[in-house]
Amino acid sequence: MLTDGRIVAVKKSKSIHESNVEQLINEVVILSQINHRNVVKLLGSCLETEVPLLVYEFIPNGSLYQYIHEHTDDQFPITWEMRLRITVEVLRALSYMHPAASIPIYHLDIKSANILLDDKYQAKILDFGTSRSMAIDRIHLTTKVKVPFGYVDPEYFRSSQFTEKSDINSFGIVLVELLIGKKPIRLVDMEENRSLASYFLEVINENRLFEVLDAQVLREAEK
């Protein structure tokens, strides 16, 4: 709690390894360029200490990942209406960061665990430690970034190049999570598709979508 009564969240690196410190500094640089209602606000930082600290607005209701994969409907049902609204809010933020920003920003770590829900259950994207700014005259970014397996853009495996479509691909996986309630990597037999993306495409091709939809979606959504 700050002296004015505001509750904040403080991010502290687990170690003083150079790469961790660089990510925190990169996050300050990136977030200083962003002002959007669906992106977590950076309120301040302390980069002069041995382990840098970042101070954010406090988002009280946890992550989208928790609501999809850990909460039960009895605890708090994530309704079809909420799923649609969260989808739109995150895509608005991505649209703002990509073509609308003066220098486009690629998040590069879009996943349900990095989408928080505020007191009104509005979506807030966080964790810009691996994000990159991209000059408008460059069409792609060649870099080494640790993108969580299950969300990574298949093109990256071939080219090591990120584009704005890398974020869109990752959010596509989040969208499938919202629809069918499965994790990005499925614990199944080796014969089956462990990748949620491959599994979803298989389901669509076999016209079995309504067999695998999340129970809440099936109850509330219209075809």
Side-chain angles (χ1 to χ4, degrees), residues 21-132:
V21 174
E22 286 178 354
Q23 284 194 9
L24 288 180
I25 295 174
N26 183 66
E27 188 150 3
V28 173
V29 173
I30 295 293
L31 284 176
S32 67
Q33 305 171 52
I34 298 175
N35 181 21
H36 193 275
R37 63 186 297 179
N38 298 118
V39 173
V40 172
K41 287 184 175 62
L42 179 68
L43 303 179
S45 62
C46 181
L47 303 178
E48 298 168 354
T49 55
E50 185 178 25
V51 179
L53 303 173
L54 305 185
V55 182
Y56 303 86
E57 62 175 325
F58 177 64
I59 310 299
N61 282 323
S63 71
L64 182 60
Y65 180 94
Q66 292 172 306
Y67 284 90
I68 298 175
H69 303 300
E70 297 177 1
H71 290 190
T72 65
D73 287 352
D74 294 336
Q75 290 174 306
F76 187 89
I78 178 168
T79 65
W80 173 240
E81 182 180 336
M82 287 178 63
R83 294 171 203 246
L84 286 176
R85 179 174 50 74
I86 289 168
T87 299
V88 171
E89 289 168 349
V90 175
L91 288 177
R92 280 177 179 160
L94 290 178
S95 177
Y96 165 83
M97 290 189 291
H98 289 173
S102 56
I103 299 179
I105 294 169
Y106 302 160
H107 187 279
L108 304 185
D109 198 10
I110 294 294
K111 56 185 179 182
S112 56
N114 279 344
I115 300 170
L116 300 187
L117 303 177
D118 67 10
D119 55 348
K120 296 180 180 178
Y121 293 94
Q122 295 181 21
K124 300 269 190 175
I125 298 176
L126 82 159
D127 202 349
F128 287 76
T130 59
S131 301
R132 297 289 186 272

Side-chain angles (χ1 to χ4, degrees), residues 10 13 103 108 114 121 146 153 155 158 176 190 205:
V10 178
S13 178
I103 299 179
L108 304 185
N114 279 344
Y121 293 94
K146 292 182 179 179
D153 178 6
E155 290 294 326
R158 289 190 282 272
V176 177
M190 292 298 292
N205 289 334

Side-chain angles (χ1 to χ4, degrees), residues 64 68 80 83-88 90-91 110-112 115 151 167-182 196 200 209 213-214 217:
L64 182 60
I68 298 175
W80 173 240
R83 294 171 203 246
L84 286 176
R85 179 174 50 74
I86 289 168
T87 299
V88 171
V90 175
L91 288 177
I110 294 294
K111 56 185 179 182
S112 56
I115 300 170
Y151 292 96
D167 282 347
I168 299 303
N169 177 85
S170 297
F171 186 72
I173 305 302
V174 175
L175 185 57
V176 177
E177 286 181 79
L178 282 165
L179 281 173
I180 67 178
K182 302 293 185 185
L196 183 59
F200 184 71
L209 177 61
L213 284 177
D214 180 87
V217 172

Side-chain angles (χ1 to χ4, degrees), residues 179 198-209 212:
L179 281 173
S198 299
Y199 171 70
F200 184 71
L201 290 174
E202 180 182 288
V203 165
I204 293 296
N205 289 334
E206 295 175 357
N207 199 27
R208 294 191 294 114
L209 177 61
V212 301

Side-chain angles (χ1 to χ4, degrees), residues 101 137 142 157:
D137 59 351
T142 302
F157 286 124

